[in-house]
Amino acid sequence: MKIYKHVVLAGLLMGSAFSVHLQAQEHQFKISDGNFLYDGKPVQIHSGEIHYARIPHQYWRHRLQMLKAMGLNTVATYVFWNFHEAKEGQWNFAGDHDLAAFVRTAQEEGLMVILRPGPYACAEWEFGGYPWWLQNIPGLEIRRDNAAFLNYTEKYLKRLGQEIGSLQITKGGPIIMVQAENEFGSYVSQRKDIPLEEHRAYNAKIKKQLEEAGFDVPLFTSDGTWLFEGGATAGALPTANGEDNVDNLKKAVNQYHGGQGPYMVAEFYPGWLSHWAEPFPQVSVEKIAAQTEIYLKDKVSFNYYMAHGGTNFGFTSGANYNKQHGIQPDLTSYDYDAPISEAGWSTAKYDAIRELMLKHVDYHVPEVPPRLPVIEISNISLAKSINLLDAVTKLKGKESDQPLTFEELAHPFGYVIYSRQFNQPIQGNLVVEGLRDYAMVYVDGEPVGELNRYDNSFEIPIDVPFNSTLQIVVENMGRINYGAEIIHNTKGIISPVLINDVEISGSWISTPVPMDSETDLGLLLKGAKTSNTKAVRDTKNIPFLYTGEFNLSEVGDTFLDMESWGKGVVFVNGINIGRYWKVGPQQTLFIPGVYLRQGKNTIVVFDQMNQKVQTSLHTVKTPVLDALNL
């Protein structure tokens, strides 16, 4: 605990002293004569992407110091609209949501800032950053020249301008550039049903909204070079994603930027995104070091996506889509095989990049900060547990002719239980083609089977006796964050349920399961029984909530080992630290030390599968992110 306090305190003192020095100077940043100009002199941007939303705010300074020590001079970050307006009109810019504090901290650490406010982000984040409730607005279609949608993007961008407009370099802050939209050329290539002229009109309106919101630094777009035709917009610098060939980069930028640079790879991938049930991708140190040196020698600016990934805490992870799988949900960990690991550690990739930067840059590169403390918790006893199907009787559902979607229930994330009483027996094939995304099926509380959109498993045999209840526990595994299917993102059961091709309608009860707060968890856990009772031991394959307490004499980062569990989410001291799933490749969940307390701590595990009755947990000092268990 003392070491942790000293590390954070030292960072705060260093930042405070440096802040005075920076604020005493005024700077300029422009694009002119084919160059980025900082105070009138050409500058090469060496940037790394860090998303403040994926890191506890207490760790922002440490991660920014790690970035600076890698040899970089700039930090880029997405702004996720839904992170700040989770409910319509209710804005949150406090604590972990305090974007202005993150930007000021970057300035104190001597870093320039590139802002990527969307309104679309992608980023393997829930709904690509869009608020879920946009889907309930009549006549609204996202990412389109649509009056209803543009009305909301305007409100969002104006609110953002109020928060951080004063932190642009034109007003003494560190923000040097702002991105307009994001990877729009990719979307244009997938939505050929929309005329190119309409796409371009939309893109131009987003740029104009940014300017009207007070963003007066250079604007840029970001796409693959082969997608500039759809993604570039007049008055914004086109930058490239994933472009290794410098000649291709220069040719494309010249075509859309008056025959000259500057040239920037806005997303240079030192790692790659990862999905559940798929191998954890890894990019070699040698490949990234070699490509970095090419950019350095050719004076191409770049931004590592990601320099440090962080974590998709809670229900913030999104999903990709393809026809084979339907949905490819993203891991809780956003480690990304990045140079700075999920927990903020340097890696071999980090060391190789730092060594290169020390050779090539003419500015001071500080020493690497020490790791934050790591602890191991050998035993966490799970004293009590309760069957979710029993706990849900305390909740009030909504009756309707057909199952209601999450959106219709105003229930954005997590779980909904759909139930229907049958007065006559029925048996045959249960088909739920409108499942979004994962379900466990029960009859009178007895397990029947699993349905899963990931592998298009929408059908199981079922036998419902006379006067029995069918229950379908449905999980929203994250809204699609990329591609044309992003416009089809309602969750739950979104089409009729069939048994033997007969539509089952009438008297469905749709019950949201609240898991947003400690109060919600307390309500669900009311009536929990001791975990080692026979009633609990004999109840397998039923969704269960487990709860326990543990005491700590010191706190630090740690990794919860979930390898022997099934599928679900974990709450530590009331904070949702994310999803786990036995299929891997992720088998541990990162618990930041700032989420723990000296003395008593609480933990709640919700396991949807409950294939093995559990009585304890433990943590480890090293994460496991590459262990598939299919």
Side-chain angles (χ1 to χ4, degrees):
M1 182 63 177
K2 289 181 179 178
I3 297 173
Y4 169 72
K5 283 183 176 177
H6 289 163
V7 169
V8 174
L9 182 60
L12 290 170
L13 292 173
M14 285 171 57
S16 177
F18 203 17
S19 174
V20 174
H21 171 69
L22 284 176
Q23 290 172 5
Q25 303 178 46
E26 291 186 3
H27 299 281
Q28 292 182 335
F29 183 86
K30 295 180 179 179
I31 293 175
S32 183
D33 299 326
N35 290 299
F36 294 119
L37 298 178
Y38 190 89
D39 289 344
K41 297 179 181 178
V43 63
Q44 188 179 10
I45 296 171
H46 308 137
S47 178
E49 187 112 356
I50 293 179
H51 299 151
Y52 62 97
R54 287 176 155 132
I55 308 163
H57 69 275
Q58 298 94 329
Y59 288 174
W60 288 345
R61 189 177 300 279
H62 176 265
R63 304 304 196 257
L64 291 166
Q65 289 174 347
M66 289 291 294
L67 191 81
K68 185 91 183 279
M70 196 165 75
L72 306 186
N73 59 16
T74 305
V75 61
T77 187
Y78 275 127
V79 181
F80 302 126
W81 180 359
N82 57 14
F83 191 62
H84 296 287
E85 196 183 8
K87 295 181 179 179
E88 183 180 351
Q90 297 183 23
W91 296 96
N92 186 354
F93 286 95
D96 289 347
H97 303 257
D98 194 345
L99 171 58
F102 177 80
V103 173
R104 285 192 296 267
T105 305
Q107 183 174 26
E108 291 163 4
E109 294 302 327
L111 291 163
M112 298 180 287
V113 175
I114 294 173
L115 201 70
R116 309 180 72 191
Y120 167 71
C122 185
E124 292 71 61
W125 185 268
E126 153 73 19
F127 204 4
Y130 290 129
W132 67 272
W133 48 262
L134 287 176
Q135 298 178 107
N136 284 344
I137 307 298
L140 185 148
E141 185 175 338
I142 61 172
R143 286 199 107 177
R144 193 162 183 181
D145 189 8
N146 169 279
F149 178 56
L150 288 168
N151 175 51
Y152 281 96
T153 61
E154 182 180 31
K155 290 177 183 177
Y156 159 60
L157 293 173
K158 280 185 176 178
R159 187 68 177 82
L160 201 58
Q162 292 171 17
E163 284 296 320
I164 55 168
S166 63
L167 292 173
Q168 296 174 95
I169 198 167
T170 49
K171 298 171 179 63
I175 299 172
I176 57 169
M177 290 200 300
V178 173
Q179 184 176 331
E181 242 282 346
N182 179 52
E183 297 181 320
F184 192 60
S186 175
Y187 193 66
V188 170
S189 72
Q190 297 173 54
R191 290 298 307 274
K192 295 188 184 297
D193 56 310
I194 301 172
L196 182 58
E197 294 75 19
E198 183 185 333
H199 281 307
R200 286 178 171 162
Y202 162 74
N203 213 5
K205 287 178 182 178
I206 292 297
K207 176 180 174 290
K208 185 178 179 183
Q209 285 185 353
L210 281 162
E211 292 167 340
E212 291 175 345
F215 291 102
D216 57 3
V217 295
L219 301 180
F220 70 100
T221 59
S222 179
D223 282 289
T225 51
W226 61 97
L227 298 167
F228 279 8
E229 180 185 12
T233 192
L237 173 71
T239 66
N241 289 354
E243 183 55 77
D244 295 343
N245 187 305
V246 173
D247 290 337
N248 287 347
L249 169 66
K250 291 182 177 180
K251 182 180 178 181
V253 173
N254 289 346
Q255 182 180 351
Y256 291 91
H257 196 247
Q260 61 180 359
Y263 308 107
M264 181 169 182
V265 176
E267 291 192 4
F268 169 23
Y269 306 114
W272 195 241
L273 59 94
S274 43
H275 300 129
W276 293 108
E278 297 175 15
F280 183 79
Q282 293 181 313
V283 181
S284 76
V285 173
E286 294 76 18
K287 178 181 178 181
I288 298 309
Q291 190 63 44
T292 298
E293 190 152 36
I294 289 171
Y295 293 149
L296 289 168
K297 288 180 176 178
D298 286 345
K299 303 300 180 187
V300 171
S301 293
F302 57 85
N303 173 51
Y304 291 111
Y305 187 99
M306 299 291 298
H308 167 57
T311 310
N312 294 317
F313 293 113
F315 298 117
T316 60
S317 58
N320 284 296
Y321 174 87
N322 67 26
K323 290 182 180 178
Q324 177 186 354
H325 291 302
I327 194 170
Q328 295 170 286
D330 300 306
L331 299 185
T332 296
S333 171
Y334 202 62
D335 179 88
Y336 214 86
D337 191 30
I340 305 168
S341 78
E342 179 182 12
W345 304 346
S346 62
T347 63
K349 203 171 288 179
Y350 180 100
D351 295 339
I353 292 169
R354 174 179 159 84
E355 185 178 341
L356 266 177
M357 300 304 291
L358 286 169
K359 277 196 242 176
H360 286 274
V361 303
D362 58 2
Y363 49 78
H364 172 66
V365 177
E367 292 300 312
V368 180
R371 280 189 185 185
L372 298 179
V374 179
I375 64 170
E376 188 171 306
I377 308 169
S378 60
N379 183 63
I380 300 170
S381 177
L382 300 172
K384 291 187 176 182
S385 57
I386 190 167
N387 180 338
L388 180 72
L389 301 180
D390 293 338
V392 79
T393 58
K394 310 180 189 75
L395 306 176
K396 187 175 181 180
K398 190 170 182 179
E399 185 171 354
S400 58
D401 191 54
Q402 296 287 347
L404 299 175
T405 67
F406 278 56
E407 289 74 19
E408 288 170 326
L409 293 163
H411 181 66
F413 315 113
Y415 307 86
V416 168
I417 298 180
Y418 298 94
S419 60
R420 189 184 185 281
Q421 179 82 15
F422 285 79
N423 295 323
Q424 296 295 328
I426 187 170
Q427 61 182 3
N429 281 331
L430 171 71
V431 179
V432 192
E433 287 191 355
L435 174 65
R436 303 293 184 268
D437 300 299
Y438 176 92
M440 301 293 288
V441 181
Y442 307 88
V443 173
D444 290 337
E446 294 297 318
V448 174
E450 169 190 328
L451 301 172
N452 189 349
R453 188 185 179 194
Y454 174 78
D455 54 11
N456 293 316
S457 298
F458 297 130
E459 181 176 340
I460 53 172
I462 196 166
D463 185 354
V464 184
F466 167 74
N467 197 29
S468 293
T469 301
L470 169 67
Q471 295 164 300
I472 308 174
V473 181
V474 174
E475 177 192 8
N476 163 7
M477 291 192 68
R479 291 179 180 84
I480 294 166
N481 54 251
Y482 177 80
E485 284 297 311
I486 197 171
I487 63 172
H488 302 131
N489 248 331
T490 50
K491 293 294 184 176
I493 296 177
I494 69 168
S495 67
V497 174
L498 307 178
I499 299 180
N500 282 346
D501 297 325
V502 176
E503 182 178 322
I504 307 301
S505 59
S507 300
W508 280 97
I509 306 294
S510 304
T511 307
V513 182
M515 290 190 179
D516 290 338
S517 67
E518 287 188 271
T519 301
D520 294 336
L521 295 173
L523 175 64
L524 291 172
L525 289 164
K526 190 175 181 181
K529 300 176 182 177
T530 304
S531 292
N532 63 1
T533 62
K534 185 177 187 300
V536 172
R537 289 199 307 270
D538 291 347
T539 311
K540 294 182 180 179
N541 302 311
I542 302 291
F544 250 72
L545 288 137
Y546 294 87
T547 181
E549 295 179 355
F550 58 100
N551 287 289
L552 295 176
S553 58
E554 62 174 353
V555 299
D557 296 344
T558 192
F559 303 89
L560 190 65
D561 184 353
M562 301 304 296
E563 194 163 6
S564 66
W565 291 70
K567 190 178 196 302
V569 290
V570 179
F571 302 82
V572 174
N573 292 325
I575 300 169
N576 186 338
I577 63 169
R579 299 179 174 97
Y580 65 90
W581 191 7
K582 66 176 184 177
V583 298
Q586 178 177 358
Q587 300 292 351
T588 56
L589 290 174
F590 176 51
I591 306 177
V594 291
Y595 289 177
L596 298 172
R597 309 165 182 150
Q598 285 186 328
K600 188 177 82 170
N601 294 262
T602 62
I603 192 164
V604 176
V605 182
F606 171 53
D607 196 290
Q608 299 151 249
M609 293 178 163
N610 199 39
Q611 293 169 329
K612 173 186 176 184
V613 176
Q614 307 278 357
T615 57
S616 67
L617 281 163
H618 68 277
T619 74
V620 293
K621 290 187 174 183
T622 305
V624 179
L625 300 177
D626 59 356
L628 274 177
N629 180 26
L630 301 181

